[in-house]
Amino acid sequence: MGSRVVMLGRQGAGKGTQAVRIADALGVPHLSSGDMLRAAANGTTELGLVGKRYLERGELVPDEVVVALVAQCLTTPEASAGFVLDGFPRTRAQAESLDRVLRPCGVEVVVALSVPVEVVVARLSGRRVCASCATNYSLSAPPRQDWRCDTCGGPVVQRSDDVEEAIARRLALYDAETEPLIEFYRQRGVLVVVDGVGDEAVVFDRVLRLVEAATALRLSGRD
Ligand code: AMP
């Protein structure tokens, strides 16, 4: 099995953007639990409708709902050559479920993107996103025309969970539930911490260099 990468970091740390680029560089799928849940929320399945209520409030969707969705994606033939997971796991129980789904291989590299809280609050409140294809924009880097997506022409909007109250709730949940996973993966020797402040391309170079180094180390059996 190829690269099995997990991206950790506060909301607004640039996880999604970097996960797309890393997946592309490694030639593996980018699997975002947020995108899966938003797609499910637009459908009519029971799973999607349950998730929608939590999504809109910026609360964590119950573990069993997210685990079921992510496990479906991880067990497809496309993901058998590796993947970059973005937004999952977010709780200790999800991390343990991920171990079970990936058995006997486990996660290979966990990238923790480190960005101070005041920087992510500014990024999140200025973030805008295409409602059709999920391309990210911001107030300082809007689409070329009239808030229509440069890629697909869809409407570019503010996510309902990028408003002030929901941002505060999501960041508090990150500190309580997700931040402890950094230590969980550090103890397993799979964690790399990357400074996520700076130009997107510069951060990408940092991430890619560390992911490649961690993968090579493991392949050579020296870790
Ligand atoms: P994201 O796009 O990663 O910021 O996720 C958006 C929202 O989807 C979150 O605020 C949660 O409501 C939900 N969500 C995404 N991933 C998870 C997860 N692993 N566990 C629980 N809820 C999640």
Side-chain angles (χ1 to χ4, degrees):
M1 203 192 202
S3 313
R4 299 175 306 283
V5 180
V6 164
M7 303 286 297
L8 281 182
R10 287 194 172 98
Q11 295 83 348
K15 269 192 323 292
T17 309
Q18 296 299 337
V20 169
R21 295 185 68 153
I22 291 294
D24 194 43
L26 299 175
V28 296
H30 162 235
L31 303 178
S32 152
S33 52
D35 287 350
M36 290 174 208
L37 285 162
R38 277 184 288 276
N42 287 331
T44 52
T45 60
E46 180 65 23
L47 216 62
L49 295 177
V50 172
K52 188 173 183 165
R53 292 199 297 273
Y54 294 87
L55 265 170
E56 282 173 349
R57 290 196 297 257
E59 287 170 7
L60 288 182
V61 175
D63 287 335
E64 58 277 17
V65 176
V66 191
V67 168
L69 270 175
V70 174
Q72 270 173 20
C73 293
L74 285 175
T75 48
T76 59
E78 298 79 58
S80 66
F83 50 80
V84 177
L85 255 181
D86 159 20
F88 184 94
R90 261 175 157 97
T91 65
R92 173 77 182 232
Q94 291 178 15
E96 287 167 355
S97 297
L98 180 61
D99 277 347
R100 283 192 289 277
V101 175
L102 295 181
R103 211 169 267 163
C105 302
V107 171
E108 199 176 11
V109 189
V110 175
V111 178
L113 264 188
S114 174
V115 178
V117 73
E118 57 280 10
V119 176
V120 301
V121 169
R123 282 188 190 170
L124 289 171
S125 42
R127 177 163 71 178
R128 299 293 181 268
V129 57
C130 171
S132 304
C133 74
T135 298
N136 270 328
Y137 297 93
S138 68
L139 292 179
S140 53
R144 281 191 295 273
Q145 245 188 351
D146 227 10
W147 295 100
R148 307 300 297 188
C149 179
D150 293 342
T151 310
C152 76
V156 173
V157 298
Q158 183 171 40
R159 270 169 48 170
S160 58
D161 61 353
D162 276 346
V163 296
E164 201 177 320
E165 199 187 330
I167 290 173
R169 196 174 309 124
R170 289 159 66 208
L171 289 173
L173 274 171
Y174 176 82
D175 287 343
E177 302 285 349
T178 312
E179 215 264 345
L181 295 182
I182 292 182
E183 197 46 41
F184 176 85
Y185 286 119
R186 194 195 307 279
Q187 284 182 10
R188 296 181 164 210
V190 291
L191 184 79
V192 295
V193 179
V194 180
D195 176 4
V197 179
D199 188 70
E200 187 185 309
V202 173
V203 175
F204 172 65
D205 282 342
R206 289 180 200 142
V207 176
L208 187 60
R209 229 173 329 109
L210 285 168
V211 167
E212 284 179 342
T215 317
L217 204 64
R218 212 142 284 128
L219 282 178
S220 72
R222 283 188 283 130
D223 195 27

